[in-house]
Amino acid sequence: MGLRETLCAYQKNDPAARSKLEIFLLYNGLHAVLYYRAAHWLYLHRCRFLARWLSQHAKWTTGVEIHPAATIGRRLVIDHGTGVVIGATTEIGDDCLIYQGVTLGGTGLSAGKRHPTLGNHVMVGSGAKILGPIRIGDHARVAANSVVLREVPACSTVVGVPGRVVRVNGEKLDHIHTPDPVALELQALRLRVEQLEQRLQKEG
């Protein structure tokens, strides 16, 4: 049941996926998750060296590094996958979509929870970095190459370095028409300067 529904999730999220057999045989993101499931089972049953060995083997064969202690829900899709890193205390909900080059990493050396938590139906664009024990709310979207260091509310879109919420309950993020928060601020400042110049000219 778990594998079948994951294959269906890949077909839903990747228009290039022609068949379940093709996904099963050729998709390294799927292979990485299958390796993770086995390593996670070993980790929970206190075979931790073997779990780490399996996760490292998976890293070399798939290009995806998932710590066996991470908690991952159902139907995770890792598209392309190369360069994805998922830390030990990461928690990922159901029906999430992660693109290549994503890091779900920690900050500092403190013990305990130090990696992100992703809610359900979260999309993380290629190259994005989500760092620290923060929560990304359900149905949130993180734009490509964003660096997220703070909590993200549900149903919102985050863009930039550092990541800023630019849309809440808005349209689906398409990576092309995503607003640039820095450009928006600069545009607002330019408009303000023009207004002040006009006022000075009238007063002068």
Side-chain angles (χ1 to χ4, degrees):
M1 179 65 177
L3 177 58
R4 180 182 294 275
E5 65 183 13
T6 300
L7 292 173
C8 290
Y10 270 86
Q11 286 187 306
K12 177 182 177 182
N13 287 284
D14 185 1
R18 293 179 296 180
S19 70
K20 292 183 177 66
L21 180 62
E22 180 182 54
I23 296 167
F24 180 73
L25 294 177
L26 302 179
Y27 278 49
N28 68 325
L30 174 65
H31 298 163
V33 173
L34 295 178
Y35 274 118
Y36 156 78
R37 300 292 184 197
H40 186 63
W41 187 91
L42 291 170
Y43 193 89
L44 293 178
H45 289 80
R46 299 188 179 278
C47 301
R48 296 189 173 177
F49 176 83
L50 194 56
R52 287 290 285 150
W53 178 87
L54 185 58
S55 70
Q56 289 302 299
H57 175 73
K59 172 186 172 183
W60 290 114
T61 57
T62 67
V64 178
E65 182 173 358
I66 306 176
H67 195 286
T71 302
I72 297 177
R74 300 170 68 173
R75 298 176 295 276
L76 171 66
V77 173
I78 301 178
D79 197 356
H80 296 290
T82 303
V84 169
V85 177
I86 298 175
T89 60
T90 299
E91 299 174 56
I92 299 175
D94 298 334
D95 300 296
C96 290
L97 172 60
I98 295 175
Y99 287 92
Q100 69 273 13
V102 166
T103 298
L104 304 179
T107 54
L109 300 175
S110 59
K113 176 69 170 169
R114 60 189 187 280
H115 296 92
T117 296
L118 273 58
N120 300 319
H121 302 277
V122 172
M123 190 282 291
V124 185
S126 58
K129 315 300 178 191
I130 304 176
L131 306 176
I134 59 175
R135 178 174 177 81
I136 310 300
D138 295 348
H139 298 279
R141 288 175 165 77
V142 179
N145 294 315
S146 298
V147 177
V148 184
L149 303 172
R150 296 182 179 179
E151 303 274 331
V152 175
C155 303
S156 60
T157 299
V158 176
V159 177
V161 182
R164 304 181 188 185
V165 175
V166 296
R167 185 180 295 139
V168 178
N169 294 319
E171 299 176 356
K172 185 176 180 180
L173 175 64
D174 62 7
H175 297 289
I176 297 173
H177 303 98
T178 303
D180 182 346
V182 176
L184 291 175
E185 286 191 9
L186 290 174
Q187 184 179 4
L189 286 172
R190 185 174 62 183
L191 180 61
R192 179 61 176 161
V193 169
E194 290 175 355
Q195 291 173 344
L196 290 173
E197 287 178 343
Q198 291 175 0
R199 183 183 298 176
L200 288 173
Q201 288 176 356
K202 289 179 180 179
E203 292 178 354

